[in-house]
């Protein structure tokens, strides 16, 4: 036998290790490994729940790339959303975290206030936003009117719909901010003192001390924000009643996938869409990881 | 912008005061309770939440122990797989998982919303593992010398020492399960099994113009979470930093 003989102690460790991890091992087999294989298989079939699983080869993928305009619309919307959201969450997240890192009285309250929105159920928050951004009765336009500014069609104007989504996402930036804050608090004070002695001003200290020391945190948040942006669903679904309107301007990838699978019952086609998404997310994550070597700085214990 | 991110929360509570005549304020709530079977949805949500929290904490703690305190051959490889599963978009597994429940005839029951919790969740396993790793090894080695098995060490030593981390996982799980939308939307059909989030969504369809009622309903779904947030604030920050820094 090619198997290495294990000592009784090691064998006992192995048995216990597997025993303790068995809930997850079983769960992963049933709810992750099997679904991945099944999903890949479905993506090559014409699976519609009623008439199940006729093998169609690459047809789903061919239709998606060559004939489905909504696929490109959804892809574009998701990418635009991600491209607006990522810089926004990066700059705003770090700025807010820096403000929250100041030593002021009652800082605990401000920190709690920033995080609070992220715990509110997405459905409830979306409904409130629907009301805030209502073109006629909403608070947002009411403020604009009082300022004498022209009102905006927020969610009803295709031009404004995506920026509105980004605005809503910004509101839920709490988790990102707290992670930046934790990162900021890890920067050794001695570094700032040393920089100050060398005559570095606030901006230079930020540029040459804070940013490099924060880069692992920025990297983590960047990856998480990207993955989140690709999976963006509940808010758009509630705001647009599952339609992705107006005129498909908020039809994000997840929404189209959901509609294909559970409204039109094109499960095979939706599986193919899921795989394309999977490949894209992996690719983007990979690129971010690859580039990270150049800008992420891991200090001593990092 | 920092303050606007706060506004809506206050406005959920302020809304009736500023925008609706005073007399209206309270009557919206009983009215919402009639149109929106709040207590039924609350019961369903609570059943799901309590089961999910208990099951998730128990299973994740066991698994995290297996990944941090026992060194078995192949552990690192299996743990790498666990990390990898966190990167997979939920879209890939969504449809086949849905079809598994369809095949089991579990659709339109609470089972798809509760049973998977027994298998733990990669993210919380990761979080707990990070925490368990920080507990010194000498203690458990001494206990082992005295003849305590892994389960004894787990139960009598690791668990009591890990209360803060376990609480963080419990709080996050509760929140996730209370706020979950997509999955209940997929697996539940009949109204008597709706959760609060799902109920709220169906409710906008029917009473879309009545903002007062809607806001009352939203408030009722949100207030418990806000209360939980203030009670458990410590654990939130702890939990996030635990994942963020080590990420």
């Amino acid at each position: 036998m090619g198997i290495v003989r294990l000592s009784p102690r090691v064998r006992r460790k192995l048995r216990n290790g597997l025993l303790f991890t068995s809930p997850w091992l079983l769960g992963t087999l049933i709810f992750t490994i099997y679904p991945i294989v099944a999903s890949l298989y479905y993506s090559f079939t014409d699976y519609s729940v009623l008439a199940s699983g006729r093998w169609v080869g690459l047809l789903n993928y061919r239709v998606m790339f060559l004939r489905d305009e909504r696929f490109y619309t959804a892809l574009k919307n998701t990418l635009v959303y991600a491209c607006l959201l990522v810089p926004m969450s990066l700059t705003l997240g770090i700025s807010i975290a820096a403000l929250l890192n100041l030593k002021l009285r009652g800082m605990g309250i401000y920190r709690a206030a920033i995080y609070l929105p992220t715990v509110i159920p997405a459905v409830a928050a979306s409904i409130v936003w629907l009301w805030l951004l209502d073109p006629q009765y909403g608070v947002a336009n009411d403020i604009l009117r009082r300022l004498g500014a022209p009102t905006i069609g927020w969610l009803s104007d295709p031009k404004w719909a995506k920026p509105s989504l980004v605005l809503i996402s910004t509101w839920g930036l709490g988790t990102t901010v707290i992670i930046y804050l934790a990162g900021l608090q890890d920067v050794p004070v001695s570094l700032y003192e040393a920089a100050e002695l060398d005559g570095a001003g606030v901006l230079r200290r930020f540029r040459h001390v804070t940013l490099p020391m924060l880069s692992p945190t920025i990297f983590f948040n960047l990856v998480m924000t990207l993955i989140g942006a690709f999976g963006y669903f509940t808010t758009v679904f509630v705001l647009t009643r599952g339609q992705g309107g107006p005129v498909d301007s908020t039809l994000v990838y997840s929404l189209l996938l959901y509609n294909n699978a559970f409204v039109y019952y094109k499960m095979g086609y939706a599986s193919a869409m899921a795989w394309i998404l999977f490949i894209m997310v992996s690719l983007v994550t990979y690129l971010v990881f690859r580039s990270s070597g150049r800008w992420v700085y891991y200090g001593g214990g990092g | 912008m920092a303050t606007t991110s706060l506004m809506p929360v206050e406005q959920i509570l302020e809304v009736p005061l500023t925008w609706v005549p005073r007399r209206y304020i309270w009557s919206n709530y009983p009215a919402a309770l009639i149109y929106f079977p709040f207590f039924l949805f609350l019961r369903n949500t609570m059943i799901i939440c309590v089961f999910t929290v208990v099951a998730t904490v128990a299973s994740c703690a066991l698994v995290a122990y297996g990944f941090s305190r026992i060194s078995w051959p192949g552990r690192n490889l299996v743990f790498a797989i666990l990390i990898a599963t966190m990167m997979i978009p939920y879209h890939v597994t969504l449809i086949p998982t849905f079809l598994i429940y369809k095949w089991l005839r579990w659709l339109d029951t609470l089972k798809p919303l509760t049973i998977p919790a027994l298998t733990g969740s990669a993210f919380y396993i990761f979080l707990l593992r990070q925490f368990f790793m920080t507990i010194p090894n000498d203690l458990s080695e001494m206990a082992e010398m005295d003849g305590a098995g892994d389960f004894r060490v787990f139960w009598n030593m690791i668990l009591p020492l890990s209360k803060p981390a376990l609480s963080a996982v419990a709080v996050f799980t509760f929140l996730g399960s209370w706020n979950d939308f997509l999955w209940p939307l997929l697996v539940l059909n009949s109204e008597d099994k709706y959760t609060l989030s799902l109920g709220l969504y169906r409710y906008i369809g029917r009473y879309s113009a009545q903002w007062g009622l809607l806001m009352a309903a939203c408030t009722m779904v949100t207030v418990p979470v806000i209360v939980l947030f203030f009670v458990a604030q410590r654990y939130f920050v702890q939990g996030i930093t635990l994942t963020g820094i080590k990420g």
Side-chain angles (χ1 to χ4, degrees):
Chain A
M1 306 284 277
I3 299 165
V4 185
R5 268 204 173 274
L6 302 171
S7 70
R9 194 186 131 77
V10 174
R11 210 179 314 155
R12 192 173 45 98
K13 287 274 170 203
L14 179 62
R15 190 201 65 201
N16 281 356
L18 290 176
L19 215 59
F20 271 92
T21 51
S22 60
W24 177 78
L25 290 173
L26 264 176
T28 300
L29 279 178
I30 303 170
F31 296 117
T32 308
I33 309 284
Y34 164 76
I36 288 177
V37 176
S39 159
L40 187 61
Y41 172 76
Y42 293 150
S43 78
F44 295 113
T45 64
D46 177 13
Y47 198 121
S48 62
V49 182
L50 302 170
S52 61
R54 192 168 52 87
W55 183 266
V56 293
L58 285 171
L59 186 70
N60 287 328
Y61 293 93
R62 276 221 302 275
V63 170
M64 193 189 319
F65 283 116
L66 300 178
R67 257 178 278 157
D68 191 351
E69 273 175 45
R70 295 189 91 205
F71 164 75
Y72 286 104
T73 310
L75 190 59
K76 201 193 86 199
N77 286 341
T78 301
L79 291 177
V80 169
Y81 170 76
C83 290
L84 290 173
L85 182 69
V86 166
M88 186 85 143
S89 101
L90 211 67
T91 50
L92 215 61
I94 296 177
S95 317
I96 298 175
L99 285 178
L100 291 180
N101 202 23
L102 299 174
K103 291 193 174 47
L104 287 180
R105 282 171 105 238
M107 196 42 102
I109 298 169
Y110 298 127
R111 287 179 186 166
I114 285 290
Y115 188 65
L116 186 60
T118 61
V119 305
I120 289 171
V123 177
S126 307
I127 293 174
V128 174
W129 276 104
L130 208 54
W131 174 76
L132 287 175
L133 298 180
D134 187 283
Q136 262 185 297
Y137 309 106
V139 177
N141 274 349
D142 188 68
I143 295 171
L144 286 180
R145 250 179 251 129
R146 282 180 201 199
L147 292 172
T151 58
I152 292 172
W154 300 110
L155 291 162
S156 55
D157 182 346
K159 222 172 45 223
W160 278 97
K162 274 187 284 286
S164 299
L165 291 184
V166 176
L167 175 75
I168 296 172
S169 305
T170 313
W171 177 73
L173 215 57
T175 312
T176 315
V177 170
I178 298 285
I179 294 175
Y180 279 130
L181 185 60
L184 283 177
Q185 287 176 344
D186 264 11
V187 181
V189 183
S190 58
L191 283 180
Y192 286 113
E193 286 163 357
E196 215 173 343
L197 280 179
D198 290 343
V202 178
L203 278 179
R204 292 201 48 167
R205 263 178 287 163
F206 182 76
R207 169 75 187 80
H208 293 286
V209 178
T210 311
L211 278 185
M213 293 305 284
L214 204 58
S215 58
T217 317
I218 295 177
F219 174 62
F220 175 81
N221 273 337
L222 185 62
V223 173
M224 296 313 280
T225 309
L226 276 171
I227 293 178
F230 280 110
Y232 194 44
F233 178 81
T234 303
T235 311
V236 197
F237 186 86
V238 175
L239 289 176
T240 68
R241 312 280 298 133
Q243 302 301 309
V247 248
D248 282 353
S249 60
T250 57
L251 181 78
V252 290
Y253 202 90
S254 306
L255 195 58
L256 181 62
L257 195 151
Y258 167 86
N259 279 330
N260 269 320
F262 300 101
V263 179
Y264 317 135
Y265 293 114
K266 295 196 278 186
M267 299 243 173
Y269 189 73
S271 298
M273 277 189 71
W275 273 88
I276 294 299
L277 180 75
F278 189 12
I279 293 168
M280 281 188 313
V281 172
S282 316
L283 203 70
V284 171
T285 319
Y286 171 75
L287 288 176
V288 175
F289 265 90
R290 271 264 318 254
S291 80
S292 71
R294 270 182 236 145
W295 58 271
V296 175
Y297 170 78
Y298 291 100
Chain B
M1 272 316 269
T3 47
T4 36
S5 68
L6 257 174
M7 270 173 55
V9 189
E10 291 161 6
Q11 267 157 2
I12 294 170
L13 308 170
E14 272 179 17
V15 158
L17 287 172
T18 28
W19 297 90
V20 186
R22 262 177 191 283
R23 269 168 294 136
Y24 244 98
I25 304 171
W26 298 110
S27 64
N28 270 334
Y29 283 82
L33 283 179
I34 293 166
Y35 287 115
F36 173 76
F38 181 79
F39 293 107
L40 176 66
F41 298 163
L42 179 68
R43 210 200 78 204
N44 293 337
T45 311
M46 284 312 289
I47 294 173
I48 296 169
C49 282
V50 170
F51 185 91
T52 308
V53 168
V54 174
T56 304
V57 171
S59 57
C60 289
L62 276 171
V63 177
Y65 183 90
F67 276 125
S68 57
R69 312 292 298 188
I70 309 174
S71 51
W72 41 282
R75 182 182 81 171
N76 292 341
L77 177 71
V78 179
F79 188 70
I81 295 173
L82 179 124
I83 297 291
T85 61
M86 288 201 282
M87 295 291 197
I88 298 168
Y90 65 85
H91 310 78
V92 176
T93 51
L94 189 67
I95 294 169
T97 311
F98 175 84
L99 293 171
I100 293 176
Y101 290 115
K102 187 173 181 293
W103 176 75
L104 286 170
R105 297 181 188 284
W106 279 5
L107 290 184
D108 208 23
T109 68
L110 298 185
K111 282 178 200 153
L113 295 159
T114 48
I115 303 295
L118 290 170
T119 68
S121 119
F123 184 67
Y124 300 131
I125 293 171
F126 171 70
L127 192 148
L128 287 177
R129 172 188 174 267
Q130 301 303 99
F131 191 87
F132 290 173
M133 301 272 266
T134 63
I135 299 172
N137 253 327
D138 316 9
L139 284 170
S140 46
E141 267 162 25
M142 239 150 51
E144 254 174 77
M145 298 273 229
D146 290 344
D150 273 314
F151 193 78
R152 292 257 329 237
V153 175
F154 169 72
W155 190 258
N156 292 333
M157 259 187 51
I158 305 294
L159 281 192
L161 285 174
S162 313
K163 273 183 198 149
L166 295 173
S167 313
V169 171
V171 169
F172 280 120
T173 310
F174 183 87
L175 208 65
S177 157
W178 180 277
N179 294 352
D180 192 14
F181 175 71
L182 174 60
W183 193 229
L185 173 74
L186 289 182
V187 297
L188 299 178
N189 284 317
S190 34
E191 189 160 337
D192 60 324
K193 298 189 188 71
Y194 280 2
T195 59
L196 282 170
S197 274
L198 189 59
L200 200 57
Y201 173 71
R202 302 285 188 207
Y203 191 72
I204 19 173
R206 263 172 258 164
Y207 310 101
S208 51
Q210 309 199 34
W211 288 115
L213 290 184
L214 271 179
M215 290 302 137
C218 282
T219 309
M220 286 190 290
V221 176
T222 308
V223 165
V225 198
I226 294 184
V227 172
L228 175 77
F229 173 72
F230 280 111
V231 172
Q233 219 196 91
R234 203 153 60 88
Y235 299 120
F236 278 106
V237 177
Q238 225 159 23
I240 297 170
T241 35
L242 213 56
T243 49
I245 295 176
K246 313 269 177 175

